[in-house]
Each structure stands twice: as C-alpha cells, then as structure tokens.
Amino acid sequence: MKDASERPEGRRESKRRETSERIIEKGLKLFVKNGYEGTTLDAIAAAAGISRRTFFYYFRSKEDVLLAAHDSGFRDALKPAMREESPDQAPLDAVQKCLVKLASRYETKESIVFDRLMQSTDALRARKEAVFVDTERILLEAMCELWPSPGRRDGHRLVAMVAMGTLRLALDKWKENDAAHPLAHYVRQSFTLLKKQF
C-alpha cells in the first residue's frame, strides 16, 4: 500500500504525462497544418496552453516533439518483446516474429503524415536515421540477453543491422502502397525476400 507521501508524486506524474501528450498532439496538428519549418516552438507552446519555459521542461526542441509523436512506443516495447522470444530458434526468425508482433505500433493513422514530415528537412532525415541506429542498438542488447554467449555478439549485431534494414524496407512498401495491407504483411514479405537472398 502506498503511503500519503507517494500520492502527490503520482498526481504530478499523471499531470506531466497529460501535458506531454497535449504538447505532442498540438504540435502534430500545427506541423500538418503549417509544415515543420512553418511551425514555431512558441506556436506549439501557445497551442498547448503553456509557456515557452514550461515547454523546455518537457522537450528540448520542436524536433523532439515530432520524434516523440513518431515513435508510438515502439522502441520502449522492443526490448521486452524480444526477450519474450524463445532462444530455441534462429536469431533472425526470432527478430522477425518480434517485429511482426510490434508492427501495429507503427500503424497509427498519423504514421504516413509523420513520415512525410520526417522527410521534409535534412535535419529531420538525419534524426530519423539516428532513430533507426538507436533501435538497432536496443535490438542488439535484447539479443545479447537472449543468447548471452560473448562469441555470438558480432553475429547478433549483424542480424540486428539486417533486421532494421528489412523493417525499413517494409515501412517504405507499406507507405508506398498507402497501407493497403497491415504493416505486419510487409514485414513478413521483406523477411521472406531477405531469406531468399541467402
């Protein structure tokens, strides 16, 4: 049972989460309406009903707002989902199953809009690349926990790199086809193509 000193912290955390979500929601609407370059940090703060100073308590930049909206919790879910896979299968098969399970996290109605925004400037394209590199690192860490032998680390790293490339191809196909099928369909299709190459 929580004591009284913990309850205010819970309310503060809840308020913080609600404010963060409001900033992301208002920021996304402004990005869609005005474009990334045409949206100022001050405009996002005003739309969210907060001061510029308060904005910086939550985010470092408007770029961070867009990235927070784009992630949909995928990276937070990746490591625990990967650790749930059986180590009695090939690492590439385990990664494929994991990514298929998590594919729906990318399938928000805003996903294609996010992607267009992320392609709108050189800085955002670079940040998008950095997100994939970070996701690859998270996947590698999970694989090293699932198969802890130090001698397998380089192999795990290679699988993580190839898997992220395969996911990127699936995301591109999904967007090119205007989400005609669930993203999981394109993930499976891309992994099938990958396996045919070897």
Side-chain angles (χ1 to χ4, degrees):
M1 182 173 190
K2 291 183 177 180
D3 63 39
S5 66
E6 291 180 2
R7 288 193 197 107
E9 183 61 34
R11 282 194 292 271
R12 274 197 300 272
E13 195 53 41
S14 175
K15 185 175 181 196
R16 180 175 164 75
R17 182 182 44 78
E18 288 167 8
T19 303
S20 178
E21 288 172 358
R22 188 171 68 249
I23 294 167
I24 292 168
E25 176 194 348
K26 299 298 184 182
L28 182 59
K29 285 181 180 174
L30 288 170
F31 291 141
V32 170
K33 181 180 175 186
N34 304 322
Y36 178 77
E37 295 291 355
T39 301
T40 65
L41 186 150
D42 288 328
I44 297 171
I50 59 172
S51 69
R52 180 183 176 90
R53 183 176 178 179
T54 300
F55 175 94
F56 286 113
Y57 179 70
Y58 293 90
F59 296 97
R60 291 179 314 213
S61 66
K62 65 178 185 175
E63 189 177 298
D64 285 347
V65 173
L66 183 57
L67 288 168
H70 185 61
D71 184 55
S72 304
F74 179 85
R75 286 184 298 161
D76 287 340
L78 180 57
K79 196 170 191 177
M82 188 62 207
R83 285 190 304 220
E84 288 175 4
E85 289 298 326
S86 168
D88 298 330
Q89 58 186 319
L92 190 61
D93 292 335
V95 172
Q96 177 182 347
K97 288 178 186 172
C98 176
L99 294 178
V100 165
K101 279 192 288 190
L102 294 179
S104 63
R105 287 186 174 266
Y106 266 109
E107 292 182 282
T108 64
K109 59 185 177 181
E110 298 91 358
S111 294
I112 293 173
V113 174
F114 286 148
D115 191 65
R116 288 187 190 124
L117 288 166
M118 293 299 290
Q119 297 292 337
S120 66
T121 72
D122 289 341
L124 287 174
R125 280 191 293 275
R127 281 296 295 271
K128 185 177 178 185
E129 293 298 316
V131 167
F132 277 113
V133 170
D134 188 52
T135 306
E136 179 186 307
R137 178 194 55 77
I138 294 167
L139 181 57
L140 172 60
E141 288 173 4
M143 292 173 71
C144 288
E145 289 179 25
L146 200 57
W147 297 281
S149 171
R152 297 185 72 177
R153 183 175 176 82
D154 286 347
H156 295 333
R157 185 172 176 214
L158 187 58
V159 169
M161 292 166 76
V162 170
M164 283 302 99
T166 306
L167 177 61
R168 290 170 74 174
L169 177 64
L171 285 164
D172 288 348
K173 292 293 180 188
W174 179 67
K175 289 172 219 160
E176 284 169 19
N177 290 291
D178 291 322
H181 300 285
L183 177 57
H185 166 83
Y186 297 101
V187 172
R188 287 188 196 96
Q189 198 175 62
S190 295
F191 271 93
T192 298
L193 177 62
L194 170 67
K195 290 171 183 178
K196 283 180 181 174
Q197 304 306 306
F198 300 99

